[in-house]
Structure formats: structure tokens, C-alpha cells
């Protein structure tokens, strides 16, 4: 992604603990969450997503939104597209001093809920969402919002937990009207960049492609990125075109 030539370390015994709170990862996830570039610090799945984005051949002046802000991915995106916009969900949850530091170095952080984006229709040429969709219970509404703010021909590039052997998505948890979380499957928690852990509501299968088409996308694919020379080994990336 950053253009640097680098050596990627692959541990003989993956150093990724797996626990009930999602602070680590399964051994099978080593290539997806690991293999960080020593230069730009992007893990395998994000580097694979940038490969899919690059295939869209966007102009440098393209309007791009990424559902994170101040991260390594956001910085690399801004190198490609200087007008790219980063957003966070509830940035006020970040500790005050950390928020002040981020604002100083990266500017104001727009709050954006993917279920109700604060942007007009056909605003962006592309959207990026890395490990976001599984944390949104009302996923169909969020996909429709992504389609709404993309211009005709605009592209959505995303990563999310995907079971290539599953035809259908699995709803892992729901919330009651009072906000009580109810698990329907094994508990799945992921670390939140803003602090703490957040539940994963979905484990996606091939059904997600039909959800995207129903949400307003012209076409949708799961793309398998395999480029051993770039330390990318069969990683799945979601791509949908408005």
C-alpha cells in the first residue's frame, strides 16, 4: 500500500491469543489480522482491501469516505485522495486527552452513524468500511445508507468476518428494547479502537451479496485477494458497485 519494500514476519507459532473477549484471534486469522507492513503498519486484510480499491482506478480528486479517523488506513487513504473524509461512531467516547491529541494532529472527527449518515445523496465516489458491518445489528439499513450516499458507479470496499462455506449470514446476537444484549450463538467481542470491546452481531456468508443488491447496489462480489509477493494469502474483501 505504501510502496515500501519490506520483509514480513510469519511466526512459526502464531502469537495471537484467543479468548472469550475477542482480544486476540484464532490461528487461522494470523494472515488476515497479522502480517503488518513494518512501514505503514497495515494488516493483511486492510492491504488486501486497498488492492481492491486500487482496481477501481479512482481519480486522485475522488471523494472518498472511510469509517475511521486518524488510523494508519486513514493516513494512507489521504495520501491517495487528499480530500478523503474519515468518520467515527461516537467520538466523544474517546478519553478527553486522547480526543484533544487526535484533534490537534488530525483535525475534527466527524461523528457518523452508518445507519443514518449525515450526508446528502450521491456525495461520494467510494466508501471504505473495515470490520464495521458486523457490529451493526440493523445491517440492511446501514447498507442502504451506504448506497444512498454513493454516486452512480461509486464503489463500496469493506472487510468483515466471512465464512466462505456458509450460504447464509448468521445473526449472533440481538438487543431487546431496553438495550439488553441477547446472544444467539457463541459470544463474539472485538476490541474497539475508541476503548473497550463491542459485540459482533453478524458472521456473514454469501447472503450478504444479496443484501447489498437489495440495498441498492448494482453488483456485489466477495473478492479473494491472493498475492504472495505482497504477503497476501487468499484474503476475502467485499466490493459492491452502486
Amino acid at each position: 500500500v505504501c510502496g515500501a519494500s519490506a520483509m514480513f514476519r510469519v511466526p512459526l507459532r502464531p502469537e495471537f491469543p484467543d479468548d472469550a473477549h475477542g482480544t486476540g484471534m484464532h490461528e487461522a486469522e494470523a494472515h488476515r489480522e497479522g502480517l503488518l507492513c513494518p512501514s505503514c503498519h497495515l494488516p493483511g486484510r486492510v492491504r488486501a482491501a486497498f488492492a481492491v480499491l486500487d482496481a477501481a482506478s479512482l481519480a486522485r480528486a475522488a471523494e472518498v469516505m472511510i469509517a475511521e479517523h486518524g488510523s494508519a488506513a486513514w493516513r494512507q487513504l489521504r495520501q491517495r485522495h487528499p480530500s478523503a473524509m474519515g468518520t467515527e461512531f461516537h467520538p466523544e467516547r474517546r478519553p478527553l486527552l486522547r480526543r484533544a491529541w487526535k484533534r490537534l494532529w488530525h483535525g475534527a472527527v466527524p461523528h457518523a452513524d452508518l445507519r443514518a449518515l449525515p450526508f446528502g445523496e450521491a456525495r461520494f465516489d467510494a466508501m471504505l468500511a473495515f470490520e464495521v458491518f458486523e457490529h451493526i445489528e440493523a445491517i440492511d439499513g446501514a447498507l442502504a445508507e451506504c448506497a444512498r450516499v454513493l454516486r452512480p458507479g461509486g464503489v463500496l470496499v469493506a472487510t468483515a468476518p466471512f465464512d466462505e462455506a456458509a450460504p447464509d449470514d448468521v445473526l449472533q446476537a440481538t438487543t431487546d428494547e431496553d438495550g439488553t444484549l441477547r446472544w444467539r450463538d457463541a459470544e463474539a467481542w472485538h476490541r474497539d479502537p475508541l476503548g473497550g470491546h463491542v459485540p459482533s452481531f453478524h458472521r456473514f456468508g454469501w447472503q450478504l451479496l444479496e443484501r447489498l443488491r437489495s440495498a441498492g447496489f448494482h453488483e456485489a462480489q466477495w473478492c479473494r485477494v491472493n498475492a504472495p509477493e505482497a504477503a497476501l494469502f487468499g484474503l476475502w474483501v467485499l466490493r459492491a458497485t452502486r
Side-chain angles (χ1 to χ4, degrees), residues 161-171 203-209 222 236:
F162 171 56
D163 182 355
E164 62 188 272
D168 299 322
D169 302 336
V170 174
L171 182 63
R203 185 172 64 252
F204 297 110
W206 294 96
Q207 182 185 0
L208 184 57
L209 301 183
W222 279 107
W236 290 100

Side-chain angles (χ1 to χ4, degrees), residues 6-11 16 27-37 42-49 51 162 164 223-237:
M7 183 72 71
F8 289 83
R9 289 188 173 187
V10 183
F16 306 111
E27 183 175 339
E29 290 285 275
H31 285 166
R32 188 172 184 270
E33 298 293 340
L35 289 178
L36 273 70
C37 172
L42 295 183
R45 60 175 171 79
V46 178
R47 293 187 293 110
F162 171 56
E164 62 188 272
C223 306
R224 192 174 181 92
V225 180
N226 190 63
E229 70 282 1
L232 298 173
F233 303 97
L235 302 179
W236 290 100
V237 177

Side-chain angles (χ1 to χ4, degrees), residues 61-79:
E63 296 287 338
V64 184
M65 174 194 158
I66 182 171
E68 54 191 82
H69 187 90
S71 64
W74 177 83
R75 291 192 294 271
Q76 287 300 317
L77 182 64
R78 298 268 292 187
Q79 292 289 328

Side-chain angles (χ1 to χ4, degrees), residues 22-239:
T23 56
M25 63 192 76
H26 295 282
E27 183 175 339
E29 290 285 275
H31 285 166
R32 188 172 184 270
E33 298 293 340
L35 289 178
L36 273 70
C37 172
S39 178
C40 63
H41 308 293
L42 295 183
R45 60 175 171 79
V46 178
R47 293 187 293 110
F50 268 94
V52 172
L53 178 68
D54 288 346
S57 301
L58 297 176
R60 182 171 172 79
E63 296 287 338
V64 184
M65 174 194 158
I66 182 171
E68 54 191 82
H69 187 90
S71 64
W74 177 83
R75 291 192 294 271
Q76 287 300 317
L77 182 64
R78 298 268 292 187
Q79 292 289 328
R80 284 167 160 72
H81 306 287
S83 62
M85 174 184 294
T87 66
E88 289 280 9
F89 179 67
H90 291 320
E92 68 276 4
R93 292 170 50 205
R94 193 185 299 274
L96 179 60
L97 289 179
R98 193 180 303 174
R99 284 174 15 219
W101 183 87
K102 288 288 186 182
R103 185 182 182 90
L104 177 65
W105 287 102
H106 304 302
V109 183
H111 164 72
D113 184 341
L114 287 185
R115 298 168 301 180
L117 289 168
F119 308 114
E121 294 185 6
R123 166 72 184 276
F124 299 104
D125 298 298
M127 281 187 65
L128 305 181
F130 302 146
E131 307 301 284
V132 175
F133 291 150
E134 66 269 27
H135 301 298
I136 304 174
E137 183 178 1
I139 185 60
D140 292 317
L143 297 178
E145 274 293 274
C146 292
R148 182 184 67 81
V149 300
L150 280 171
R151 294 167 182 159
V155 62
L156 168 68
V157 176
T159 65
F162 171 56
D163 182 355
E164 62 188 272
D168 299 322
D169 302 336
V170 174
L171 182 63
Q172 297 174 287
T174 59
T175 51
D176 295 341
E177 290 184 2
D178 62 1
T180 301
L181 183 66
R182 304 288 184 186
W183 289 100
R184 303 176 55 171
D185 202 350
E187 292 190 21
W189 297 86
H190 296 171
R191 183 181 293 119
D192 187 347
L194 300 182
H197 295 82
V198 291
S200 175
F201 290 97
H202 305 276
R203 185 172 64 252
F204 297 110
W206 294 96
Q207 182 185 0
L208 184 57
L209 301 183
E210 184 55 39
R211 289 180 182 271
L212 285 159
R213 297 183 189 107
S214 297
F217 285 91
H218 175 66
E219 59 180 2
Q221 304 95 12
W222 279 107
C223 306
R224 192 174 181 92
V225 180
N226 190 63
E229 70 282 1
L232 298 173
F233 303 97
L235 302 179
W236 290 100
V237 177
L238 185 69
R239 178 181 67 191

